[in-house]
Amino acid sequence: MPCYILSDNGNARRLLKKVLNQPIFFETPSALLHALGRVKKGQVVLLDSAIRGYESAGLQTAQLIRQQDPDAQLIMMSDNAAMAARCFEAQVGLIDFIIKQDFNARFFDRLLRAISKANSNLRRILNLRPVPIRLPDGRSTRLFDLTRIVYFTTDSGSHHLIIHEVDHQSRIRASMRDLAAYHQNLYRVHSSYVINIAYLHLYQPSKHSLTMVTGHQIPVSRHYAGALRQALRWPTNKQGLAEPVNIH
């Protein structure tokens, strides 16, 4: 993910550019705020506490960002250790406050760990956020939260499907054949099973089975195994056979 950086220090920008994968630099708070207003919420932002000699510029920018985006992951860097207390009192929800220390190895190690934590937080926020999905139910449709659906299976002897959610089951009148088309996370792995790939924990190609995070064991037929491997880019061993992969 990109990292939005507020800094007017040329040396800092040069060094950060060498270390970070996708840095996007801004020299003024207004330019940064304008850019953040044009992208989706939930970005990683690194703020220099002092801009153009104004020591509270970074903190005030953090406050404005927090008002607009509760998911933003904010990291502050500063030459002034006293700013840490001011940031804490302002309750802007910083991931970390890092003293620059002439941009030494210790600084960059802590910065990279803070950015890693920020990205992890954003993934968790995304996973917990409801994803509405409308599924067919006979001549009508029903609204579900995809983040709670683990897998689907057929209801033997009927034209219904059973939706196995995290804490209960539901039944809909629908075709297993068309189900995967309703969302990119839905994968058919067997004539009688469609999974939510977000809940996949372990896939064992040699055993033609997979295990969901919930512990459910689900068969994988040869007909659908190829598409599943391609989607997940399974590694192969020296014999060219796909190996078991633990997703989490």
Side-chain angles (χ1 to χ4, degrees), residues 142-162:
R142 289 174 60 185
L143 190 63
F144 292 88
D145 178 4
L146 181 64
T147 64
R148 302 193 63 78
I149 296 176
V150 183
Y151 68 98
F152 302 77
T153 189
T154 55
D155 186 6
S156 181
S158 77
H159 296 288
H160 289 84
L161 302 180
I162 299 176

Side-chain angles (χ1 to χ4, degrees), residues 41 60-70:
K41 297 186 184 300
Q60 292 187 359
T61 304
Q63 291 173 315
L64 291 172
I65 294 172
R66 183 59 69 212
Q67 290 174 10
Q68 300 298 321
D69 184 3

Side-chain angles (χ1 to χ4, degrees), residues 41 70-71 122 124-132 145 147:
K41 297 186 184 300
D71 294 341
L122 290 173
R124 185 171 66 252
I125 290 170
L126 181 61
N127 289 337
L128 291 175
R129 185 163 292 155
V131 177
D145 178 4
T147 64

